[in-house]
Amino acid sequence: ILNVEQSPQSLHVQEGDSTNFTCSFPSSNFYALHWYRWETAKSPEALFVMTLNGDEKKKGRISATLNTKEGYSYLYIKGSQPEDSATYLCAFRNNAGNMLTFGGGTRLMVKP
Amino acid sequence: DTGVSQDPRHKITKRGQNVTFRCDPISEHNRLYWYRQTLGQGPEFLTYFQNEAQLEKSRLLSDRFSAERPKGSFSTLEIQRTEQGDSAMYLCASSSLPGQGYTGELFFGEGSRLTVL
């Protein structure tokens, strides 16, 4: 059983605050690490798919880093906005299969 | 084609009844996945298809669960003799095959929420 952990489980921040979450995953047989954003009553949407150790990806105010040797990824949100409120999921894929193993998610709530 | 669609969006049933969910993936996607998500947890893998072939099934998938993708397009997930523990969000996702531009990204539907009374 692959262990993918996310912390914190939930986070309340004020509009304008910057924040970050952690995803830890097995450091062996790495293939890819995905980040998804899941807003209430919508479908999860991919933010990033990261495959290389040291990868850094950015989309607007959101960025992510990857360390495959130690098995962690950080997701950063700069200047949080109420529309960033969602559950952020990370998912690990090893090189033995084609499915993703998800963490439990970090639920972010941004207060105006 | 606007994305992955799932039907029904919500289903309330009594314990012991059978339920079936349908997923229509993005039309050019060969791979189709079913996941289950319960409150406070991340999505758990159930099974996946490449075209019409079911290539992998989770040990979580009891013999009351069966999934099909008969023509390699839409898929159905049937749960027989439902139990209260089956209450969850059932998510379907699709992806393309490795090739030019492939990222491995999954494209999800909005899910089918099952409540078993």
Side-chain angles (χ1 to χ4, degrees):
Chain A
I1 295 177
L2 300 174
N3 205 23
V4 180
E5 302 280 347
Q6 290 188 246
S7 63
Q9 279 190 320
S10 65
L11 196 54
H12 291 73
V13 301
Q14 288 292 137
E15 181 175 355
D17 287 350
S18 293
T19 187
N20 63 86
F21 326 132
T22 304
C23 172
S24 63
F25 52 86
S27 56
S28 57
N29 302 318
F30 177 87
Y31 186 88
L33 192 283
H34 297 216
W35 282 99
Y36 289 82
R37 175 169 59 201
W38 193 1
E39 296 178 67
T40 302
K42 295 187 177 180
S43 55
E45 288 186 340
L47 289 171
F48 306 113
V49 178
M50 308 173 79
T51 57
L52 298 175
N53 184 42
D55 231 356
E56 291 188 25
K57 299 223 171 182
K58 187 173 180 183
K59 185 183 289 188
R61 295 178 291 97
I62 304 177
S63 60
T65 61
L66 179 68
N67 182 324
T68 62
K69 294 189 188 306
E70 296 181 39
Y72 65 83
S73 175
Y74 295 132
L75 187 80
Y76 301 91
I77 302 178
K78 185 177 176 183
S80 303
Q81 300 296 308
E83 58 266 30
D84 296 330
S85 297
T87 295
Y88 291 82
L89 296 163
C90 72
F92 167 77
R93 180 179 165 186
N94 67 15
N95 54 21
N98 291 309
M99 85 281 196
L100 297 179
T101 301
F102 282 84
T106 293
R107 187 176 176 201
L108 173 68
M109 283 152 282
V110 183
K111 299 176 192 175
Chain B
D1 186 51
T2 55
V4 179
S5 62
Q6 293 188 241
D7 183 70
R9 294 288 310 280
H10 302 274
K11 178 72 177 179
I12 300 174
T13 192
K14 291 183 179 178
R15 189 177 51 167
Q17 298 294 304
N18 299 346
V19 296
T20 300
F21 301 116
R22 176 182 170 124
C23 172
D24 287 87
I26 292 172
S27 56
E28 60 267 29
H29 283 179
N30 300 89
R31 287 182 178 162
L32 186 149
Y33 300 79
W34 285 100
Y35 281 82
R36 176 173 66 189
Q37 189 252 348
T38 52
L39 201 62
Q41 305 294 317
E44 294 175 304
F45 170 77
L46 294 178
T47 188
Y48 100 93
F49 293 84
Q50 183 161 307
N51 301 315
E52 64 276 7
Q54 188 173 20
L55 295 187
E56 198 160 345
K57 286 171 62 172
S58 167
R59 284 170 291 178
L60 291 174
L61 211 63
S62 80
D63 56 8
R64 296 184 298 104
F65 287 69
S66 61
E68 294 182 340
R69 194 182 183 198
K71 297 180 181 177
S73 55
F74 74 90
S75 174
T76 57
L77 177 69
E78 182 183 18
I79 309 173
Q80 296 183 325
R81 305 181 304 280
T82 51
E83 301 172 357
Q84 288 185 323
D86 297 331
S87 296
M89 173 77 82
Y90 290 84
L91 289 165
C92 175
S94 67
S95 75
S96 57
L97 286 176
Q100 191 174 10
Y102 173 76
T103 64
E105 174 185 347
L106 295 188
F107 294 80
F108 282 90
E110 294 181 338
S112 293
R113 182 169 293 284
L114 173 65
T115 302
V116 182
L117 301 176

